[in-house]
Amino acid sequence: MALIEVLVFLVPICVAFVFGILAGWAWKPKWAIMAMGSDKLSCFVSKAFDLSLPSSPLASVMSPLKGLRSKGSEAWTLNIGEDRTQSSAPPNEYEDCSMLQPNEQKPNLVNKEDLEHLCQLVEMKDGGPPWIQMMDRSAPNMSYKAWQRDPKHGPPQYRSSTIFEDATPELVRDFFWDDEFRSNWDDMLASSTTIEECPTTGTMIVRWIRKFPFFCKDRDYIIGRRIWESGRSYYCVTKGVPCPSVPRRDTPRRVDLYYSSWCIRAVESKRGNGQLTACEVLLFHYEDMGIPWELAKLGIRKGMWGAVKKIEPGFRAYQKARASGAPLSRPAFMAQIPLK
């Protein structure tokens, strides 16, 4: 959701907002200025330009789920320094993680409770407020619908359905998991690094640095992710997870509250041939990236389609590369592990 087109739209709004603050302050009486102090004003204006507000910890949904396929062993191995797109983080930031041995037990950061929550979202039985449709657009080989809702607590939530014609769920799954290829179509991904991975379950912990426009600091994501299979449907959970060994910095700014999970499944083509030759990606996304939520909602509404329509040519390039026999990347290989 947080793509360049969305955030650039917010520039004039933010400039107008800060200008209004400064103009209002210029007309304040001297006693009000003395009461507040110039240091508080400068701090407030600085925060307004940076749009960096505190994030909340990610809440998990606790409930078991049976019947979907994934192994439960936690035999973790590490790939410290396995940077796919020139990570800016030095290897010694991960020293604590690298102390794990291949057979050492690791807390199950992405588990079946997360899977059940995603299934409830897919079936629209999560008990949240109703979804309000905000977009219905299409391109020659792709259609896109999006919905939005405001929970009682936390940032706005988004639900979208993207249907790719002439696509298999397996290839779409690999496409979205492939961090090495993602930089070819995701303009905001500055770097991606694999911190840990589990060769038994396919679970990964990765670090993303995402580029933001000039009025915001870049953002730092520590993401836990895992895939489950049910028939030819794939339930892909990605969410923010803690990793104390990767220290916080002022720049890029850490995003704690992050959830972006999807269900990938074969669907009937919109061409009316009755064949399951299309693939639907049902996405659920929210995050607190430190931008006032109402401003973010406005920017997303205006810039969403411009960002989404770039995904389809990226997928076709990936489809073509795989068809030509391009080697499987490590992240794409990990996406396939639970299927064995």
Side-chain angles (χ1 to χ4, degrees):
M1 288 297 192
L3 297 170
I4 293 286
E5 290 83 353
V6 174
L7 293 170
V8 168
F9 177 79
L10 297 177
V11 173
I13 300 174
C14 297
V15 172
F17 173 69
V18 175
F19 178 78
I21 294 172
L22 296 175
W25 188 262
W27 288 95
K28 260 189 175 299
K30 290 184 178 180
W31 62 266
I33 297 176
M34 294 176 63
M36 177 174 278
S38 59
D39 57 333
K40 292 184 178 180
L41 172 62
S42 60
C43 178
F44 181 79
V45 171
S46 175
K47 288 185 177 181
F49 270 115
D50 181 57
L51 295 175
S52 300
L53 305 180
S55 297
S56 303
L58 181 63
S60 61
V61 178
M62 307 297 290
S63 185
L65 179 68
K66 300 179 180 179
L68 291 177
R69 179 181 174 189
S70 182
K71 298 180 181 179
S73 173
E74 305 302 325
W76 285 76
T77 61
L78 305 184
N79 292 281
I80 309 309
E82 188 174 319
D83 189 349
R84 304 305 183 189
T85 51
Q86 297 83 43
S87 171
S88 59
N92 61 4
E93 286 192 353
Y94 307 114
E95 286 178 354
D96 292 345
C97 291
S98 64
M99 293 172 65
L100 284 172
Q101 298 300 318
N103 294 321
E104 187 173 347
Q105 293 295 311
K106 176 76 177 178
N108 201 358
L109 296 176
V110 186
N111 51 49
K112 288 187 177 180
E113 294 155 358
D114 298 301
L115 173 59
E116 178 173 351
H117 179 44
L118 175 56
C119 290
Q120 291 172 345
L121 288 169
V122 171
E123 298 168 4
M124 301 184 70
K125 296 179 180 179
D126 66 307
W131 295 98
I132 300 173
Q133 186 166 352
M134 56 183 293
M135 187 169 296
D136 186 352
R137 303 290 291 270
S138 63
N141 293 305
M142 182 186 77
S143 62
Y144 179 78
K145 293 182 180 180
W147 299 261
Q148 185 263 326
R149 69 181 183 183
D150 294 309
K152 290 183 179 179
H153 305 286
Q157 299 178 357
Y158 296 90
R159 173 179 180 263
S160 67
S161 171
T162 307
I163 297 178
F164 297 98
E165 296 288 344
D166 302 316
T168 65
E170 291 76 18
L171 190 61
V172 173
R173 173 204 64 201
D174 294 354
F175 169 70
F176 282 110
W177 224 244
D178 196 333
D179 289 346
E180 291 187 24
F181 191 85
R182 178 177 283 268
S183 59
N184 293 324
W185 60 271
D186 186 346
D187 294 338
M188 286 190 70
L189 184 64
S191 68
S192 64
T193 305
T194 298
I195 300 175
E196 302 176 14
E197 64 182 33
C198 176
T200 305
T201 65
T203 306
M204 302 179 73
I205 298 177
V206 300
R207 185 188 192 192
W208 282 4
I209 305 297
R210 297 188 69 79
K211 296 179 288 187
F212 274 54
F214 69 92
F215 60 91
C216 288
K217 296 178 180 179
D218 289 351
R219 295 305 194 259
D220 177 12
Y221 297 78
I222 307 295
I223 300 171
R225 61 190 193 185
R226 185 176 179 181
I227 299 175
W228 285 263
E229 174 199 13
S230 179
R232 290 194 68 201
S233 296
Y234 301 94
Y235 293 80
C236 311
V237 174
T238 79
K239 67 175 189 177
V241 296
C243 188
S245 60
V246 182
R248 294 173 181 272
R249 294 178 172 181
D250 184 55
T251 302
R253 185 172 294 275
R254 179 70 52 82
V255 175
D256 292 308
L257 183 54
Y258 175 83
Y259 183 86
S260 188
S261 300
W262 52 93
C263 174
I264 300 173
R265 56 194 179 188
V267 294
E268 186 175 332
S269 171
K270 290 186 175 295
R271 295 168 183 165
N273 55 17
Q275 302 296 313
L276 297 178
T277 56
C279 178
E280 179 185 37
V281 180
L282 195 57
L283 169 71
F284 302 89
H285 181 98
Y286 61 84
E287 64 178 286
D288 185 356
M289 46 188 175
I291 293 176
W293 296 340
E294 291 303 318
L295 285 177
K297 284 166 62 175
L298 179 61
I300 287 170
R301 182 178 294 275
K302 296 296 184 181
M304 178 182 287
W305 175 241
V308 168
K309 66 183 181 181
K310 291 183 177 181
I311 299 176
E312 202 268 340
F315 171 69
R316 300 304 171 187
Y318 188 75
Q319 193 176 43
K320 190 173 182 179
R322 288 285 295 271
S324 68
L328 202 64
S329 71
R330 183 65 181 179
F333 171 78
M334 293 296 292
Q336 300 181 5
I337 284 180
L339 310 181
K340 295 182 180 179

